[in-house]
Amino acid sequence: MLASWLARVRSLWRGVSRTHGIDADMREEFEHHIELRAADLVRAGVPPAEAERRARVEFGGAHRYTAEGREARGLGWFDSLHFSWLDIKLGARMLVKYPLLTLVSALAMGVAIAIGAAGSTVLSLISTPSLPLYEGDRIVGIQLWDVESQAHERRIARDLASWREMRTLEDVGAFRPAIRNIVTADGGVEVGRGVEMSAAGFRLAHVKPLMGRYLVDDDERPGAPPVVVIGYDVWRAHFAADSAIVGKAALLGDDPHTIVGVMPEGFAFPVHYDLWLPLRINELDYGWREGPGLSSFARLAPGATLAQARAEIETLESRIAHAHPDTHATLRPRVTPFSQSWFRLDSGDAIAVMSAARLILVLLLVVICVNVAILVYARTATRQSELAVRSALGASRARIVTQLFGEALVLAVLGSVVALAIMLGIVSRLDSMLSQELVRWLPFWFRFEVSDTTLAWLLALAVVSAFLIGVIPGLQLTGRRVQLSLQRLAGGHATVRMGRLWTALIVMEVASAVALLPAAVRYATQWIQSTASGPGFPAEQYLSASLSLERSYSTPSAPDDLRARTARFVHTRAELAHRLDVEQEVTAVTFTSATPGSEGGRRIEFDSLTASDSAKRMADSADAVAEGLNPYAAGYYVAPKARFAVVDLSFFATFGIRVLDGRTFIPADSATNVVAVNRSFVDSLLQGQNALGRRIRTVRLEGRETERDPWLEVIGVVEDFPAHPPFDSPRPAIYRIVGAGETGPTTIVLRTRGDPAAFARRLRTIALDVDPELLVREVSPLDAVIRESQLPLEWIALGLAAVTSSVLILSAAGIYALMSVTVTQRRREIGIRVALGASRGRLLWGIFMRAGVQLGAGIAVGIGAAVMLDSIAGGELLGAWSVVILPAVSLVAVCVGIMAAMLPAQRALSIQPTVVLKED
Amino acid sequence: MTGQVQLLPGTLDILILKAVSLGKLHGYGVLLRIEQISGDALEIQQGALYPALYRLEHRGLIAGEWGTSENNRRARYYRLTAAGRKRLGEETASWNRLVEAIARALAATPAEA
């Protein structure tokens, strides 16, 4: 696809750069054709003159085919613009003549276009209606939406049987995740991203296996031999790319399966899978809305449209609802492009969010381009005489504006080149910027590359930018002003006015920079501090992994038993801990509900509330919810937040966390409701008062109801863990001991003697031995996990820094341009005033007063905006340092303004009265 | 000519790709090759061949280069690119499926309806 795009660009470039040569080439080809045809006719006995005449008649109108040929080469639009190569040359000359403007504009536009193109590409990936498979736009997902519970109904086994009878759909199938342990060729254990899928999925995808075969309908038969199809990466990584793998046995857990096929590289249908097992369910064994949870796919039948499929399924489901109102009365069928169904993009909320995101990206570009447009306007304004004379000599307004558009396009293309460089830089670093686990689980149609879509967005945004910075100022300059310019040319009077629009723009730019700077500084500081200071403990000595059990899908007569699975998991976890305790390499083992530093937050309530307070708060919350408000944000329910983790007995000892007050957990605590809290909890939520013996509980708002968990008693205070950087907000945390028989912590952390990464394989082997269905995933040294958890912060910090820098630079450029134009326009006045003895100070103040007022207004508005943003963010942006950050940011803005005004100030002071007066 | 049928819209491109896949050709050669492989059954407007050639070249499915023809004249020769070969395969498969489906439909008897 990229090759096709490049071919088009090359062809377009040839057409634009050799527009007359192209026509000559085409005429030469046509003449050659006619000659050869005439020669054939002569050989057939036709007289030469008659042969040539006949050949020309058979060929048809050469002029018409020349025009069609230009159209076929994509030059139709170019021809209609009366675009000239000279416009591009002039544009390139302008870039060289105004290097500072070029640099500022290209950088600012590059950042804006890169953000716009990258954001739009990601949004396109999410909302794409087509998969990168054969006729991918005809692959759909089928879902049942329950209007009462506002959730998807996944127990669709019985409905599937009906859907297979539809005329507008074919290859109807279903799938469910089946994450399995794979025993590799060298005896290790890896977790395979497995799926149980209908064989129809392979037919639908139209992808031939690399070796062997894919699943067929017969594999789904109960009692059929256990088979598996593996993916390319699994084949290479875990089976040493064995060319004779087909027919060999593979152990999934402790179940042997025969490998019947290997899929080619990149195949991961339906989402992100690399192991395919047959989906063995007999749909008719289930009643309506019974059975396992499934997801469904299908392909539109030849000739059928999405609208027709939707109509047919609605008719079908309404018949089912009529016959079975107790199960289907509240269900509504949905047929959507498969990729959109995966991201649940069929809801109004999702569409609104996507549209808002696109709007924000476009607005960012528009804001930046308007800023650049004003700078270009100031530059173009110095060419008023040239434009006025050209107009007087007969150049049409369209021709002049096309020329200005051409110049702007060169600048916009330069901005796009900068944007492309930024994006290529990001893509090349993407592996290190994204969590590896995240990359593995992304849908297969998510390809982070500079794709056709991205290049198309870059080109589109460049054209839009060129329009904003070239056409709009051009229209303004070539309107009534042209006549005014002609009249004023003789008088040597200034024709450019930097009025209210200019003032508003400078104020807006400075205000934006001042408003964004605190957030940019804060995130950058946080990122730098957390990177430099580290987690505060030797995380590189620890190995962490996530534990879970494979889902076992048995027959309908023995449904999944949650209680039995929980008991099995608890037993397996204990057994695993016992086995690891005796390993020489392992010095400590613990379990926790989340890796340190990434615990989720919960709202909490203290036991100090009286009954009436509690009731009033509950009533207020319900009222807020009824009005559609978020009660927490609206301040009705002032419930503080704290990080919450469920841990085992050895958690504090494993990490060497000091106890500051009270005690840590003992075995008897697992039967009681006790917790430990950290120092930040005591300092920020209890104002340093004694925490021991206090009772707290976690609360949740579920619709209009407030769910409250049982009271928990604080029995100990520990130091903050992980240590948070200085100047950062305190992070209160609560630790609860896991109860007996509770699933609770599913993350295992080991401290090892040597390199923890080297123990990963042994960990998986032991886990497999303890329970073949125990999945050990996300195995990684803890320092790598913590680094990956900071990636979002890095992204935010870099993004904010880029945007804030652009706005700051544009502010400086705007002030510089205003001052330059002012000095140019008032040269004569300045010269006369100097001649009359005006002091330098008063002179400068008189000239720059306006810029000073604009700077001051911008800073004031910016500070107001920063305070507002901070309150929206719950005080996270400024924190306790607002008294320092706000004046510092204002000072930065003033310094930038002064620096931008220095050069024009110097020019003003160097004006010689005698020179200026002679210019009369 | 008698017995010739008009091309369906959109089919000239696939015929050009097929003709060029059999060897490098100039425009007139493409015309002759199409007539030859179709058994002279298709009616093609000669001049209309060139916009189609330029369109395919613009999309990167064929590549053109100047050479010298059999009558010692400067001529532009076209060859199939890798992308063109892939597109030819896809279009051929799609066409064959369509033809098979239509033939099946047209061969249906009242008993099958």
Side-chain angles (χ1 to χ4, degrees), chain A residues 419-455:
Chain A
L420 185 61
I422 292 171
M423 294 190 68
L424 286 172
I426 290 174
V427 168
S428 68
R429 282 199 61 210
L430 212 54
D431 276 347
S432 58
M433 290 173 94
L434 282 182
S435 148
Q436 289 306 303
E437 199 60 29
L438 172 66
V439 171
R440 285 186 71 210
W441 287 93
L442 283 174
F444 70 93
W445 59 89
F446 258 62
R447 291 173 189 167
F448 288 108
E449 56 192 9
V450 179
S451 63
D452 287 3
T453 310
T454 315
L455 291 172

Coordinates of all heavy atoms in Angstrom, one line a residue, chain A residues 419-455:
Chain A
A419 N 6.9 17.1 10.7 CA 5.9 16.2 11.3 C 6.3 14.7 11.0 O 6.2 13.9 11.9 CB 4.5 16.5 10.8
L420 N 6.7 14.5 9.8 CA 7.0 13.1 9.4 C 8.2 12.6 10.2 O 8.3 11.5 10.7 CB 7.3 13.0 7.9 CG 7.5 11.6 7.3 CD1 6.3 10.7 7.6 CD2 7.8 11.7 5.8
A421 N 9.2 13.5 10.3 CA 10.4 13.2 11.1 C 10.1 12.9 12.6 O 10.6 11.9 13.1 CB 11.4 14.3 11.0
I422 N 9.2 13.7 13.1 CA 8.7 13.5 14.5 C 8.1 12.1 14.6 O 8.3 11.3 15.5 CB 7.8 14.6 15.0 CG1 8.5 15.9 15.1 CG2 7.1 14.2 16.3 CD1 7.6 17.1 15.3
M423 N 7.2 11.8 13.6 CA 6.4 10.5 13.7 C 7.3 9.3 13.5 O 7.2 8.3 14.2 CB 5.3 10.5 12.7 CG 4.3 11.6 13.0 SD 2.8 11.4 12.0 CE 2.2 9.9 12.6
L424 N 8.3 9.4 12.6 CA 9.2 8.3 12.3 C 10.0 8.1 13.6 O 10.3 7.0 14.0 CB 10.1 8.6 11.2 CG 9.5 8.5 9.8 CD1 10.4 9.0 8.7 CD2 9.1 7.1 9.5
G425 N 10.4 9.2 14.3 CA 11.1 9.1 15.5 C 10.3 8.4 16.6 O 10.8 7.5 17.3
I426 N 9.0 8.7 16.7 CA 8.2 8.1 17.6 C 8.0 6.6 17.3 O 8.1 5.7 18.2 CB 6.8 8.8 17.7 CG1 6.9 10.2 18.3 CG2 5.8 7.9 18.5 CD1 5.7 11.0 18.3
V427 N 7.8 6.3 16.0 CA 7.5 4.9 15.7 C 8.8 4.0 15.9 O 8.7 2.9 16.4 CB 7.2 4.8 14.2 CG1 7.2 3.3 13.7 CG2 5.8 5.3 14.0
S428 N 10.0 4.7 15.7 CA 11.2 3.9 15.9 C 11.4 3.6 17.4 O 12.1 2.7 17.7 CB 12.4 4.6 15.3 OG 12.7 5.8 16.0
R429 N 10.9 4.5 18.2 CA 11.1 4.3 19.6 C 9.9 3.7 20.3 O 9.8 3.5 21.5 CB 11.3 5.7 20.3 CG 12.7 6.3 20.1 CD 12.9 7.3 21.2 NE 12.8 6.8 22.5 CZ 12.4 7.5 23.6 NH1 12.0 8.7 23.5 NH2 12.4 6.9 24.8
L430 N 8.9 3.3 19.5 CA 7.6 2.8 20.0 C 7.8 1.6 20.9 O 7.2 1.4 21.9 CB 6.7 2.5 18.9 CG 5.2 2.8 19.2 CD1 5.0 4.2 19.7 CD2 4.3 2.5 18.0
D431 N 8.7 0.7 20.5 CA 8.9 -0.5 21.2 C 9.3 -0.2 22.7 O 8.9 -0.9 23.6 CB 10.1 -1.3 20.6 CG 9.5 -2.2 19.5 OD1 8.3 -2.3 19.4 OD2 10.3 -2.7 18.7
S432 N 10.1 0.8 22.8 CA 10.6 1.2 24.2 C 9.6 2.1 24.9 O 9.6 2.2 26.1 CB 11.9 1.9 24.2 OG 11.9 3.0 23.4
M433 N 8.6 2.7 24.1 CA 7.7 3.6 24.7 C 6.4 2.9 25.1 O 5.6 3.5 25.8 CB 7.4 4.7 23.7 CG 8.6 5.7 23.5 SD 8.3 6.9 22.2 CE 7.7 8.3 23.2
L434 N 6.2 1.7 24.5 CA 4.9 1.0 24.9 C 5.3 -0.2 25.7 O 6.3 -0.8 25.5 CB 4.2 0.6 23.6 CG 3.4 1.7 22.9 CD1 2.7 1.0 21.7 CD2 2.3 2.3 23.8
S435 N 4.3 -0.6 26.6 CA 4.5 -1.8 27.3 C 4.5 -3.0 26.4 O 3.6 -3.1 25.5 CB 3.4 -1.9 28.3 OG 3.0 -3.2 28.6
Q436 N 5.4 -3.9 26.5 CA 5.5 -5.1 25.7 C 4.2 -5.9 25.8 O 3.7 -6.5 24.8 CB 6.7 -5.9 26.0 CG 8.0 -5.3 25.6 CD 8.0 -4.9 24.2 OE1 7.8 -5.7 23.3 NE2 8.2 -3.6 23.9
E437 N 3.7 -6.0 27.0 CA 2.5 -6.8 27.2 C 1.3 -6.1 26.4 O 0.5 -6.8 25.8 CB 2.2 -6.9 28.7 CG 1.3 -8.0 29.1 CD 1.8 -9.4 28.7 OE1 3.0 -9.6 28.7 OE2 1.0 -10.2 28.4
L438 N 1.3 -4.8 26.4 CA 0.2 -4.1 25.7 C 0.3 -4.4 24.2 O -0.7 -4.6 23.6 CB 0.4 -2.6 26.0 CG -0.5 -1.7 25.2 CD1 -2.0 -1.9 25.5 CD2 -0.1 -0.2 25.4
V439 N 1.6 -4.4 23.7 CA 1.8 -4.6 22.3 C 1.3 -6.0 21.9 O 0.6 -6.2 20.8 CB 3.2 -4.4 21.9 CG1 3.5 -4.8 20.5 CG2 3.6 -2.9 22.1
R440 N 1.5 -7.0 22.7 CA 1.1 -8.3 22.4 C -0.4 -8.5 22.3 O -0.9 -9.3 21.6 CB 1.6 -9.3 23.5 CG 3.1 -9.6 23.4 CD 3.5 -10.6 24.4 NE 3.0 -11.9 24.0 CZ 2.7 -12.9 24.9 NH1 2.8 -12.7 26.2 NH2 2.3 -14.1 24.5
W441 N -1.1 -7.7 23.1 CA -2.5 -7.9 23.2 C -3.3 -6.9 22.4 O -4.5 -6.9 22.4 CB -3.0 -7.8 24.7 CG -2.5 -9.0 25.4 CD1 -1.4 -9.2 26.2 CD2 -3.2 -10.3 25.5 NE1 -1.3 -10.5 26.7 CE2 -2.4 -11.2 26.3 CE3 -4.4 -10.8 25.0 CZ2 -2.8 -12.5 26.5 CZ3 -4.8 -12.1 25.2 CH2 -4.0 -12.9 26.0
L442 N -2.6 -6.1 21.6 CA -3.4 -5.2 20.7 C -4.0 -6.0 19.6 O -3.5 -7.0 19.2 CB -2.4 -4.2 20.1 CG -2.0 -3.0 21.0 CD1 -0.9 -2.2 20.3 CD2 -3.2 -2.1 21.4
P443 N -5.2 -5.6 19.1 CA -5.8 -6.3 17.9 C -4.8 -6.3 16.8 O -4.0 -5.4 16.6 CB -7.0 -5.4 17.6 CG -7.3 -4.6 18.9 CD -6.0 -4.4 19.5
F444 N -4.9 -7.3 15.9 CA -4.0 -7.5 14.9 C -4.1 -6.4 13.8 O -3.1 -6.2 13.0 CB -4.1 -8.9 14.2 CG -5.4 -9.1 13.4 CD1 -5.4 -8.8 12.0 CD2 -6.6 -9.5 14.0 CE1 -6.5 -9.0 11.3 CE2 -7.7 -9.6 13.2 CZ -7.7 -9.4 11.9
W445 N -5.2 -5.7 13.7 CA -5.3 -4.7 12.7 C -4.7 -3.4 13.2 O -4.7 -2.4 12.5 CB -6.8 -4.5 12.3 CG -7.7 -4.1 13.4 CD1 -8.0 -2.8 13.8 CD2 -8.5 -5.0 14.2 NE1 -8.9 -2.9 14.8 CE2 -9.3 -4.2 15.1 CE3 -8.6 -6.3 14.3 CZ2 -10.1 -4.7 16.0 CZ3 -9.5 -6.9 15.2 CH2 -10.3 -6.1 16.1
F446 N -4.1 -3.4 14.4 CA -3.4 -2.2 14.9 C -2.0 -2.3 14.5 O -1.2 -3.1 15.1 CB -3.5 -2.2 16.5 CG -4.5 -1.2 17.0 CD1 -5.8 -1.3 16.7 CD2 -4.1 -0.1 17.8 CE1 -6.8 -0.5 17.2 CE2 -5.0 0.8 18.3 CZ -6.3 0.6 18.0
R447 N -1.6 -1.6 13.5 CA -0.2 -1.6 13.1 C 0.4 -0.2 13.3 O 0.0 0.7 12.6 CB -0.1 -2.0 11.7 CG -0.4 -3.4 11.5 CD -0.5 -3.8 10.0 NE -1.1 -5.1 9.8 CZ -1.4 -5.6 8.7 NH1 -1.3 -5.0 7.6 NH2 -2.0 -6.8 8.6
F448 N 1.3 0.0 14.2 CA 1.9 1.3 14.5 C 3.0 1.5 13.5 O 4.1 1.1 13.7 CB 2.4 1.4 15.9 CG 1.3 1.5 16.9 CD1 1.0 0.4 17.8 CD2 0.5 2.6 17.0 CE1 0.0 0.5 18.7 CE2 -0.5 2.7 18.0 CZ -0.7 1.6 18.8
E449 N 2.7 2.1 12.4 CA 3.7 2.4 11.4 C 3.2 3.7 10.7 O 2.1 4.1 10.9 CB 3.7 1.3 10.4 CG 2.4 1.0 9.8 CD 2.3 -0.3 9.0 OE1 3.3 -1.1 9.1 OE2 1.3 -0.5 8.3
V450 N 4.1 4.3 10.0 CA 3.8 5.4 9.2 C 3.1 4.8 7.9 O 3.8 4.5 6.9 CB 5.0 6.3 8.8 CG1 4.6 7.5 8.0 CG2 5.6 6.8 10.1
S451 N 1.8 4.7 8.0 CA 1.1 3.9 7.0 C 0.5 4.9 5.9 O 0.7 6.1 6.0 CB -0.1 3.2 7.6 OG -1.0 4.1 8.2
D452 N -0.2 4.3 5.0 CA -0.9 5.1 4.0 C -1.8 6.1 4.6 O -1.9 7.3 4.3 CB -1.7 4.2 3.1 CG -0.9 3.4 2.1 OD1 0.3 3.6 2.2 OD2 -1.5 2.7 1.3
T453 N -2.5 5.6 5.6 CA -3.5 6.5 6.3 C -2.7 7.7 7.0 O -3.2 8.8 6.8 CB -4.2 5.7 7.4 OG1 -4.7 4.5 6.9 CG2 -5.3 6.5 8.0
T454 N -1.6 7.4 7.6 CA -0.8 8.5 8.3 C -0.3 9.5 7.2 O -0.5 10.7 7.4 CB 0.4 7.9 9.0 OG1 0.0 6.7 9.7 CG2 1.0 8.9 9.9
L455 N 0.2 9.0 6.1 CA 0.7 9.9 5.1 C -0.4 10.7 4.5 O -0.3 11.9 4.2 CB 1.5 9.1 4.0 CG 2.8 8.4 4.5 CD1 3.3 7.5 3.4 CD2 3.8 9.5 4.8

